């Protein structure tokens, strides 16, 4: 049987076209195939005379097996055969009948069923009574009823929108839920397309998905479509599932689509994603903001976190006074409607100048909108009094600035004050351009949290910068000013403090002039960093200078310095520290200061250097190479490395080294040779090799060392002290032994009078004779053994008188009736300085006279004022 094409039913094919198609064969798969309609006929004799192929499929018997058989006897159970024969007789008498007949299949191993049969009387060619029987399997009808009921439930009772699209992608059927959402009756949606419901771009996506499902048979699951219901501007989100629908023969007849409104789920997911994104943003901020103690770097770290993850553009403005280290903080102005905050009086005035320290943009050529938008990085500016920025600074609360004109790319700007410890330190701006989601309340809270974290880090960086600068000033004030000078030595030094990102260390060096044109060279390093280390360094440096003036041996200086270091952390000094060591509770309360130090004393007359070490790096000695020879690397002096200062309980040893003329001695701190990437031995070897050519100018040697070694500059302080040996010439030294007898006083005057003119110091003859006479006289009167007189000429004239008595002379005030006792008073008045020191064989008393100015008149005996003369006599 031919069927009318689907296009004809849809009203899309001209009548003449489908009329011709009535005579064309329809493809398999009609309703008759699905319900399996069979037919057979009964002849006038009541036997089967025709048997259709469908009857063969239904009953499982061929025509040869069925034709000529009594259908009642063949298919009906025995107990029903009597009634069956009556019905057949009635049918052959011309009566129609319809009903359900149970049947069994002959020789079918007991197979049976129920058939719905339609019996229509017929006439043969000879006008005899016959019958045509149409049989339908009741099981197939029940399946069709179940399918229709399920289909009706889907279309009529499903809470989801349901559409059935034809093969031409038009709507064939819509359920009631779909019609409720999109309006109109269910029948009104027939023949529509997805373009009647969705925006163009979403409709194209949907149509493409329908075509793909129809062509491939692959289902589409959870296709997200966005649109709006008719008459509503509210954006809705649907999840679409598509699958291909097949006929009874398996051929596709359309696409079924189920739509679920997931708007709430979408909003909840977006809310959860926003929360997760903000939590991740805050977590990232905790890791990335505050890694530097630099104000500008911290501000840039804030922008690195927020752009583009939180906003499209951002900027940070900090108060200029804060950047300059100004601690004057005027009270934040108050006015009507301005809320009070904790610590309100500790804020800065919003009219104070700010400097833009950082700016970041994820959009090219898109400046910030609002006041201060066109401010360049590094520029100083002020916000107008009524601007959102000024209000945010004054109230310490965030403000949302409106967008500019229609041409402005920025649609929303948050101005968030940066508050740390109840003090506003600056302002952060976050902007989003058009096309991005505007700022909401959650974004405002996140922006406040980000700005607060950055503000605390910036305030900490400010406090650190202030402490760092103070410690640096203190440290530099304690270092020798200018280029140190020493008799018989060419001195060059370098001090490189750590950068602003590292704390100030306790490195120091010093060059101390000692009596007899000797020089003390000191390099030390207090363990630890910061202001306390710098203060401890200053105390130790002062102690070293004080001990040096006592003219102690290097080992004795370090021993006394160790006691000083032990007392730095105890309120009561070294004695309290010693007692605290005996009581663990007190020891825990005492702060321990440890330091390393090298102390060397150089005598230019003998060119001998006495060195003691307290846990410090060994000095490097570079001997001059012979003419034409290859320069040799420096040597690490083998000096016993004592314990660091502050440990206590261990004695220090000293070593005396003779330095050749032209040799170079280098003292340094560990920052010069230590590196995380290289072992210490490698750094020391690099230093020795860098010092291999001591002939070049000493300043050039310093620069060469610093440029050659991997100094890790910025991680640790570096102190470098170099001294090139230039011993006093033989003609600059007068050294005589005098017997222990009275005439040695006159002999000493004669020796001095004979030596000074050779040095061109005739103007100092009288003064020198007088003071030499006093010192030799005291040596004869109070000393022991032979007397030694030594005159040294360098930048000053030094006279030394040696004897074997260890007793130190003491300056005292003579009584009016005393004939003597005024010699040392006279020495103190006429010399630039005088003193005593112990030696291995006794003591030395010395005085020092300044040399006449070049080109000036010669000087004779220093004239004493009347007050000075009277003071000598009470």
């Amino acid at each position: 049987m031919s069927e009318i094409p689907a296009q004809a039913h849809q009203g899309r094919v001209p009548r003449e076209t489908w009329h011709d198609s009535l005579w064309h064969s329809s493809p398999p798969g009609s309703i008759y195939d699905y319900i399996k309609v069979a037919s057979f006929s009964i002849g006038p004799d009541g036997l089967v005379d025709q048997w259709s192929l469908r009857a063969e499929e239904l009953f499982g018997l061929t025509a040869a097996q069925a034709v000529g058989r009594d259908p009642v006897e063949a298919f009906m159970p025995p107990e029903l055969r009597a009634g069956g024969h009556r019905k057949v007789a009635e049918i052959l008498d011309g009566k129609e009948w319809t009903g359900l007949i149970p049947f069994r299949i002959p020789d079918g191993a007991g197979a049976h069923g129920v058939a719905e049969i339609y019996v229509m009387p017929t006439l043969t060619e000879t006008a005899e009574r016959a019958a045509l029987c149409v049989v339908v399997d009741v099981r197939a009808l029940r399946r069709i009823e179940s399918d229709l009921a399920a289909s009706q439930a889907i279309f009529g009772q499903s809470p989801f929108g349901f559409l059935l699209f034809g093969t031409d992608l038009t709507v064939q059927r819509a359920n009631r839920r779909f019609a409720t959402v999109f309006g109109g009756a269910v029948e009104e949606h027939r023949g529509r397309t997805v373009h009647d419901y969705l925006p163009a771009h979403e409709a194209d996506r949907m149509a493409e998905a329908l075509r793909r499902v129809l062509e491939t048979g692959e289902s589409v699951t959870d296709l997200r479509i966005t649109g709006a219901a008719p008459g509503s501007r509210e954006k809705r989100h649907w999840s679409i599932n598509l699958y291909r629908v097949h006929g009874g023969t398996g051929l596709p007849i359309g696409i079924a689509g189920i739509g679920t409104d997931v708007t709430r789920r979408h909003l909840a997911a977006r809310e959860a994603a926003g929360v997760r994104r903000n939590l991740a943003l805050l977590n990232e901020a905790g890791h990335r903001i505050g890694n530097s103690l630099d104000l500008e770097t911290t501000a840039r770290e804030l922008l690195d976190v927020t752009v583009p993850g939180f906003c499209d553009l951002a900027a940070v403005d900090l108060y200029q006074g804060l950047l300059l280290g100004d601690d004057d903080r005027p009270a934040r102005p108050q006015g009507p409607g301005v809320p009070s905050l904790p610590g309100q009086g500790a804020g800065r005035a919003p009219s104070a100048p700010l400097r833009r320290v950082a700016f970041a943009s994820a959009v090219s050529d898109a400046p910030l909108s609002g006041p201060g938008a066109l401010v360049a990085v590094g520029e100083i500016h002020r916000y107008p009094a009524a601007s959102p920025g000024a209000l945010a600074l004054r109230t310490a609360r965030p403000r949302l600035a409106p967008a500019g004109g229609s041409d402005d790319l920025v649609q929303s700007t948050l101005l968030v004050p940066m508050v740390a410890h109840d003090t506003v330190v600056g302002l952060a701006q976050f902007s989003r351009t058009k096309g991005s989601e505007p700022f909401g309340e959650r974004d405002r809270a996140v922006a406040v949290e980000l700005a607060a974290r950055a503000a605390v880090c910036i305030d900490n960086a400010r406090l650190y910068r202030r402490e760092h600068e103070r410690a640096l000033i203190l440290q530099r004030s304690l270092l020798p000013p200018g280029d140190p000078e020493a008799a018989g030595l060419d001195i060059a030094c370098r001090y490189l403090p750590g950068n602003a990102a590292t704390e100030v260390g306790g490195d120091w060096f010093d060059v101390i002039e000692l009596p007899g044109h000797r020089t003390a060279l000191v390099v030390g390093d207090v363990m630890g960093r910061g202001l306390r280390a710098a203060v401890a360094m200053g105390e130790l440096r002062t102690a070293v200078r004080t001990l040096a003036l006592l003219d102690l041996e290097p080992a004795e200086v370090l021993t006394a310095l160790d006691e000083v270091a032990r007392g730095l952390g105890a309120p009561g000094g070294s004695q309290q520290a010693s007692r605290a060591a005996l009581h663990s509770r007190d020891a825990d309360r005492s702060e321990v200061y440890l330091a390393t130090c090298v102390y060397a004393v150089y005598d230019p007359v003998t060119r001998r250097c006495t060195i003691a070490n307290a846990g410090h790096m060994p000095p490097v000695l570079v001997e001059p190479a012979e003419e034409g020879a290859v320069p040799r690397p420096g040597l690490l002096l083998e000096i016993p490395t004592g314990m660091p200062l502050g440990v206590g309980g261990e004695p220090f040893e000293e070593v005396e080294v003779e330095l050749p003329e032209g040799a170079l001695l280098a003292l340094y701190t560990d920052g010069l040779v230590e590196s995380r990437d290289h072992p210490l031995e490698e750094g020391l070897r690099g230093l020795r090799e860098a010092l291999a050519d001591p002939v070049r100018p000493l300043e050039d040697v310093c620069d060469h060392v610093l440029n050659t070694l991997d100094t890790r500059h910025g991680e640790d302080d570096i102190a470098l002290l170099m001294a090139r040996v230039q011993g006093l010439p033989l003609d600059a030294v007068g050294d005589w032994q005098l017997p222990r007898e009275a005439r040695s006083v006159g002999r000493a005057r004669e020796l001095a009078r004979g030596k000074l003119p050779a040095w061109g110091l005739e103007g100092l003859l009288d003064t020198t004779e007088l003071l030499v006479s006093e010192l030799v006289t005291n040596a004869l009167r109070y000393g022991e053994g032979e007397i030694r007189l030594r005159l040294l000429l360098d930048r000053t004239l030094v006279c030394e008188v040696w004897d074997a008595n260890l007793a130190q002379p003491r300056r005292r005030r003579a009584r009016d009736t005393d004939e003597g006792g005024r010699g040392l008073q006279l020495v103190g008045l006429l010399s630039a300085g005088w003193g005593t020191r112990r030696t291995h064989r006794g003591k030395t008393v010395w005085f020092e006279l300044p040399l006449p100015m070049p080109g000036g008149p010669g000087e004779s005996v220093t004239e004493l004022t009347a007050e000075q003369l009277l003071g000598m006599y009470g």
Side-chain angles (χ1 to χ4, degrees), residues 217 244-254:
R244 192 168 68 181
V245 180
H246 301 85
T249 60
L251 295 177
I253 61 174

Side-chain angles (χ1 to χ4, degrees), residues 600-647:
V601 175
Y602 171 69
D603 189 343
V605 179
T606 62
R607 292 202 312 275
R608 301 188 70 83
C609 186
T610 306
I611 308 175
N613 190 352
H616 201 79
M617 295 290 174
V620 176
L621 176 63
V622 184
E623 298 182 354
E626 298 180 0
E627 185 176 355
V630 178
R632 292 175 297 177
L635 301 174
L636 295 177
L637 294 181
E638 296 182 0
I639 301 173
T641 304
M643 299 298 292
L645 302 176
V647 175

